[in-house]
Structures are given as C-alpha cells and as structure tokens.
Amino acid sequence: MVLLSLVATHSKVDLETVARLSAGTSRIDKDVLADGSPVSGAVVLATCNRVEVYCEAESESDLESARDALIEQISRSSGLDESLVADSFDLNTGEDVARHLFAVGAGLDSAVVGEREVAGQVRRALIEAQEKGTASGGLVRLFQTASRTAKDVGTQTALGGRGLSIVSVALDLATDLAADKDWSGKQVVLFGTGAYAGATMALLRERGCTQISVYSSSGRAETFTETRGGDPLTHAALGPAIAAADVVIGCSGGDNQVSVDRVASVRTDVDKPLTIIDLALSHDFDPAVGGLEGVELITLESVRMAAPEEQAESVQQAAEIVATAARSFEASQQARSVDSAIVALRKHTMKVLESELEKVRSQHGCTGPAQEVEFAMRRMVKQLLHLPTVRARELAANGEQDRYIAALEALYGITVEEPALPAAADAASCPVAVVHDDDAAIA
C-alpha cells in the first residue's frame, strides 16, 4: 500500500476556486473505492484556505491512475474543467505526504503560522472519513500521527504560544478599525454553529463581549446557544439584528450568501459603522458589501496579510519536529509492509514443511529417527529463511520493499495482505462524532 495526496491552497489558486474544489471533494465517497478502483482509501481535509485529498493505493504503479480517478470525480462533482482541476492540485507521494500533512496540522502552513485550530480540523477530517467508511488503515495511521506531531510541536516549541488564530487576528483587525475598542458594549451577529463558530464565540467571550446573536440557515442556532450562550436568531429577526449590529461574523460556509442589496436594505437610515468579518471559504457575504457606505469588510486575505510572523527559531524547531516525524512514519510504513511479507513467506514455507513432516510421521511414526529428521528439516528451513529476512529489512531501509513483495508473488505466488488495525485501538483513538453542515467552513 502507498499513500498520495492532492493539495490545492490559496497560494496557488484563488479562494473561489478552492471553495469550488472543496465542494467537489465533499462528494468523494465509497464510489471512489468501488471494486477495481485504484484508490483503496480517501480522507478529505478542507480548511478556510485549502482543500487536500489523502489517498491510499495498492502499489506505486497505481499512483497515476488513482490521481486521475480522483481528478475526474472532483471535476464531475464541482463542475470545473478537468484540466483546471488537475492544474490546481499538487501531487505528493512517499515521505512528502506525511511531511506536508504534519506541517499543516502543526500550523506551519497556515495563514496565521502556528494556529492551533487546524489540528482540530485534521482530527475531524479523519472522523468524517471513518463515518463514510473511506478511511483505510494507512490513512488512519497517517492522520493519528499528524495529530500527535501537532501536539509535540505545541508542547516542545513556543510556536503558537500567543494563542493566535485566524479568528483572533480577524478580531484584532476589527478592534483596530473601531473607534471604540471595548468589546463589552458591542452587538455581534454570528453566522454558523460549527466548530469555527464555537471558537469564535469563545474568543468573543474572552474579550468581554456579551451581546452575541447567532443565526443558522440550517436551524441549529437554538441548540448552539443552549450550550455556549448567546441569543438564537430566526430568519425574520436576522435583518433587524444586522441593522443594530456593530460586528457581523460569517463562518458557516453555507449556500445562502447574504447579498449586498440585503445588507444595504437593512442598513437604510442606520448611521453607525458596521464591520463584517467573513471567514467562510465560500463567503457568507457578497464581497461587494465592502463597498457600502459605513461598512468595513475583513476577509481571509485580510487576515493573511495582517498575521504576525512567528519567531524564526520557533518555526525552525517545529519544522525539525515535523521532518523527524515524517521520516519515522515513512520508515514504519516500509517496515510494516515488509513485516507482512516476511510473515507471508514464513507461513508459506512452514505450510510446505508441515506437509512434508506429516509424510515422515505417517511412514515412520514417532520414532527416534523420525524426530531427528524433523529436527534437521526445521533447522534447515530456519537457515533458509534467515537470508531472505535480512534482505527484506535491507530493502525496506532503502524504500525498496515493493521489489521484495513483487519477488514473493513472482516466485511463490504469495500475495501480501495489509494487516488490519485492531478494532479496539481504532475506537479508542478515533471516537465517532457527527460533522454538521455548518462545519463546512473549516471541516
């Protein structure tokens, strides 16, 4: 089994294209893993400025066909031209797959370097894939290791020690734009009830904001506010709430974008300024709202430009942790596959040995000479297996374990199966959770 990933970020394509690609990847399901498919597992990681697809294929020879199958489905689901989809994604294979994911999970590849929110997004991506039944054993190990690496970066370096995140930087920008810097008297309308909305609510509370109204197009505002506080808004009450608001924050990523005409109409005869913070990948507000009189618009691009740089030393330390973890993961992947091959060869050989020993026992019984023959044959088989075992370890160390596996199949007809993860371990490490539509902005 080999891993690959397709990566599209704001640094290569515009956010609108990233959003459409994200919508296309949301349709990746068990159909991709149908019989005969080169893809044996898939996990989609979509955040506010990236969409990444992690896959497992049967062998190195299947990498290109696996990529093509994914590109074709994303194109079909998103409505984007296949050539545009192909150009938007970078392909990672081998150790680069783990190195990139571990860097993303640790916040090294974020708009705000060192942000901690993305680590939760990595965990949720795996949970959602497990619920869909698309997470293969190799991908479970990859994402679990990514989560552990992110934790190591957080505990062993000063990276992200200031608690910065996309939300916190956006709120800092809103504070700078306001004449009154005190959040305790501000009226805030929050769009969304997902994990991003929850993080935003917590940060608003930390800044002393108490007048928070929550709107959800899917009707989950009341449930959300029951546990986190705030006042739920109905669709009818949304317009007056926006008219009275000092700050409106969008992080739902839903399909019901608020138009510039809607904002303009509800602000008729309203004199006080309004700051709109749009953190949804697919935009909760028409970008044209930034041109309205008295309205300031803060977007993900605004956050990226305003994000402070972390100290170079901390970034270097984190990068070293990520690189070491990636090398270790790749080595364990290679060792795992070659271990399976060694076990398969031993089982095959021992089966032949037991068959021959049964013939000896049938002919000579349990006599002394028969026992001597059995002892000699077992010692000979042990010696014969020694060199192939050593050679398997050597090839795995050089990343050439596939040659060994291919040789076993060619010489003995042995098919090496990927060992399954223990069910108990999976359940303990990856609890099942439901990912709602309002999480689309960050899930």
Side-chain angles (χ1 to χ4, degrees), residues 176-195:
D176 293 340
L177 291 172
D180 182 4
K181 312 298 183 184
D182 185 5
W183 282 85
S184 63
K186 294 186 185 298
Q187 296 186 55
V188 177
V189 174
L190 177 63
F191 280 65
T193 56

Side-chain angles (χ1 to χ4, degrees), residues 284-353:
D284 281 334
F285 298 87
D286 183 338
V289 298
L292 293 175
E293 183 71 24
V295 176
E296 294 283 356
L297 176 63
I298 296 173
T299 64
L300 288 169
E301 183 62 19
S302 308
V303 171
R304 186 186 68 80
M305 295 178 65
E309 294 185 0
E310 291 286 342
Q311 293 183 354
E313 182 179 354
S314 296
V315 173
Q316 179 62 32
Q317 290 174 343
E320 290 173 358
I321 293 173
V322 165
T324 299
R327 287 193 297 269
S328 177
F329 177 81
E330 184 65 17
S332 68
Q333 283 288 97
Q334 295 169 359
R336 187 179 180 87
S337 61
V338 81
D339 283 347
S340 299
I342 291 171
V343 169
L345 176 60
R346 287 178 175 172
K347 284 184 176 180
H348 173 83
T349 306
M350 295 307 295
K351 183 178 180 180
V352 174
L353 173 62

Side-chain angles (χ1 to χ4, degrees), residues 216-301:
S216 170
S217 60
S218 55
R220 288 192 288 268
E222 187 170 350
T223 302
F224 179 87
T225 55
E226 283 177 357
T227 56
R228 295 175 175 84
D231 300 311
L233 287 174
T234 63
H235 183 73
L238 179 59
I242 292 178
D246 298 289
V247 179
V248 177
I249 304 174
C251 48
S252 73
D255 297 327
N256 301 311
Q257 187 180 87
V258 180
S259 69
V260 62
D261 292 338
R262 176 78 188 282
V263 176
S265 66
V266 300
R267 282 182 52 80
T268 302
D269 300 327
V270 176
D271 293 329
K272 73 173 181 177
L274 172 66
T275 299
I276 296 178
I277 302 174
D278 194 348
L279 301 180
L281 177 59
S282 56
H283 294 309
D284 281 334
F285 298 87
D286 183 338
V289 298
L292 293 175
E293 183 71 24
V295 176
E296 294 283 356
L297 176 63
I298 296 173
T299 64
L300 288 169
E301 183 62 19

Side-chain angles (χ1 to χ4, degrees), residues 66-273:
R67 173 189 176 276
D68 292 345
L70 291 166
I71 294 295
E72 180 183 357
Q73 174 147 343
I74 294 171
S75 172
R76 186 168 59 251
S77 300
S78 65
L80 294 171
D81 185 77
E82 194 167 320
S83 61
L84 174 60
V85 175
D87 290 341
S88 299
F89 283 103
D90 289 326
L91 174 66
N92 289 327
T93 60
E95 188 178 315
D96 290 339
V97 176
R99 186 187 297 270
H100 176 78
L101 178 60
F102 296 175
V104 169
L108 291 178
D109 199 41
S110 298
V112 178
V113 176
E115 69 159 320
R116 307 307 300 160
E117 291 166 355
V118 71
Q121 295 164 348
V122 169
R123 290 193 298 272
R124 285 190 290 275
L126 175 59
I127 291 171
E128 186 171 0
Q130 288 179 307
E131 291 177 341
K132 290 182 177 179
T134 65
S136 63
L139 291 171
V140 170
R141 290 189 294 274
L142 175 69
F143 274 72
Q144 287 178 343
T145 307
S147 294
R148 288 194 296 269
T149 302
K151 183 177 180 181
D152 290 341
V153 169
T155 57
Q156 297 177 30
T157 75
L159 191 65
R162 287 178 285 170
L164 293 175
S165 66
I166 288 175
V167 177
S168 66
V169 173
L171 294 181
D172 287 342
L173 285 173
T175 302
D176 293 340
L177 291 172
D180 182 4
K181 312 298 183 184
D182 185 5
W183 282 85
S184 63
K186 294 186 185 298
Q187 296 186 55
V188 177
V189 174
L190 177 63
F191 280 65
T193 56
Y196 224 174
T200 302
M201 175 73 82
L203 286 174
L204 287 170
R205 295 292 193 197
E206 287 180 10
R207 293 170 187 246
C209 185
T210 58
Q211 301 178 67
I212 307 172
S213 300
V214 180
Y215 175 74
S216 170
S217 60
S218 55
R220 288 192 288 268
E222 187 170 350
T223 302
F224 179 87
T225 55
E226 283 177 357
T227 56
R228 295 175 175 84
D231 300 311
L233 287 174
T234 63
H235 183 73
L238 179 59
I242 292 178
D246 298 289
V247 179
V248 177
I249 304 174
C251 48
S252 73
D255 297 327
N256 301 311
Q257 187 180 87
V258 180
S259 69
V260 62
D261 292 338
R262 176 78 188 282
V263 176
S265 66
V266 300
R267 282 182 52 80
T268 302
D269 300 327
V270 176
D271 293 329
K272 73 173 181 177

